[in-house]
Amino acid sequence: LVDISGSAVFGSHTQFKEEYLTELCAVLAFSAIANNDKVGVMLFSDHIELFIPPQKGKQHILRIIREILSARPTGRGTDIAGALQFIHNALRKRSVCFILSDFLDDHYEKALRILARQHDCIGIHVWDALERSLPDVGVLRVADAETGTQIWVDTTSFRLRRQYAQTFDAHLAGTQSAFRRAGADFLSLGTDQPYVQALLQFFSRRSQVVAHG
């Protein structure tokens, strides 16, 4: 489940979040077919943009990657609850559901809990360094990527920069707690972090938890 809402286009370093998300999807998809598993994808914004049911095969994976790369969302907002409800109705067999998003949305915990009862759910939180730490660069005009609302902010204010960082940390902690309460796994990745090592460590920990019951 891939979030392609307006905020996914954001990027301040070498990669936009959407590019990072695409690479993550490709790695997960090719890992799945190497294990002879079926793979499907759902792209969502404030509604379902595209759903490709699970299938096997390299050509199928390449189609999925092409669709993610060429996706141009018609919606700018984010409706995670709607996406989770859709996939809950669409999947007939127990599956591993990766939810890739910045999780800038509310009121999806109930839908996540329902989905996690039947499927193995893993949230992958993707964020850009500039979303966590605001640099001191004077007065800036900033726009909300999902609503288009613009405001002026004075980045020379230490209090503002501290509040900005605290807001990010609080959102991350809240998202992590929501997944834990739902009985789902959670991984947070910055776009300036190499994801291969992080994924390997994450799945290694999961394997140890399963092995120890």
Side-chain angles (χ1 to χ4, degrees), residues 17-55:
K17 283 194 286 189
E18 61 180 351
E19 294 168 344
Y20 195 83
L21 286 167
T22 302
E23 288 186 20
L24 278 171
C25 287
V27 168
L28 294 169
F30 278 111
S31 299
I33 61 165
N35 202 38
N36 201 33
D37 290 328
K38 293 180 180 180
V39 185
V41 71
M42 187 187 70
L43 309 181
F44 69 95
S45 56
D46 51 19
H47 61 274
I48 309 307
E49 299 274 355
L50 176 72
F51 175 59
I52 301 176
Q55 290 182 35

Side-chain angles (χ1 to χ4, degrees), residues 83-149:
L84 298 175
Q85 288 161 4
F86 179 94
I87 213 70
H88 178 260
N89 294 330
L91 295 177
R92 294 287 171 256
K93 294 183 178 178
R94 181 171 171 79
S95 306
V96 180
C97 296
F98 293 95
I99 307 152
L100 294 91
S101 175
D102 50 20
F103 297 100
L104 296 176
D105 190 22
D106 299 310
H107 314 303
Y108 61 82
E109 190 173 343
K110 181 181 177 183
L112 177 62
R113 201 162 54 242
I114 292 169
L115 187 66
R117 282 191 202 130
Q118 292 190 352
H119 305 282
D120 186 0
C121 293
I122 302 167
I124 300 184
H125 172 238
V126 176
W127 51 273
D128 184 274
L130 199 55
E131 293 176 298
R132 186 174 205 170
S133 179
L134 193 64
D136 180 355
V137 290
V139 178
L140 283 180
R141 185 170 67 175
V142 297
D144 186 305
E146 299 196 357
T147 66
T149 304

Side-chain angles (χ1 to χ4, degrees), residues 17 80 99 101-106 108-109 112 123-129 131-133 163-181 184-193 202:
K17 283 194 286 189
I80 296 174
I99 307 152
S101 175
D102 50 20
F103 297 100
L104 296 176
D105 190 22
D106 299 310
Y108 61 82
E109 190 173 343
L112 177 62
I124 300 184
H125 172 238
V126 176
W127 51 273
D128 184 274
E131 293 176 298
R132 186 174 205 170
S133 179
Q163 186 179 19
Y164 187 87
Q166 288 172 342
T167 299
F168 177 91
D169 290 341
H171 172 257
L172 174 56
T175 306
Q176 206 161 7
S177 295
F179 272 79
R180 191 182 303 116
R181 287 192 297 269
D185 274 337
F186 183 80
L187 174 65
S188 184
L189 294 170
T191 56
D192 56 349
Q193 295 176 262
F202 174 74

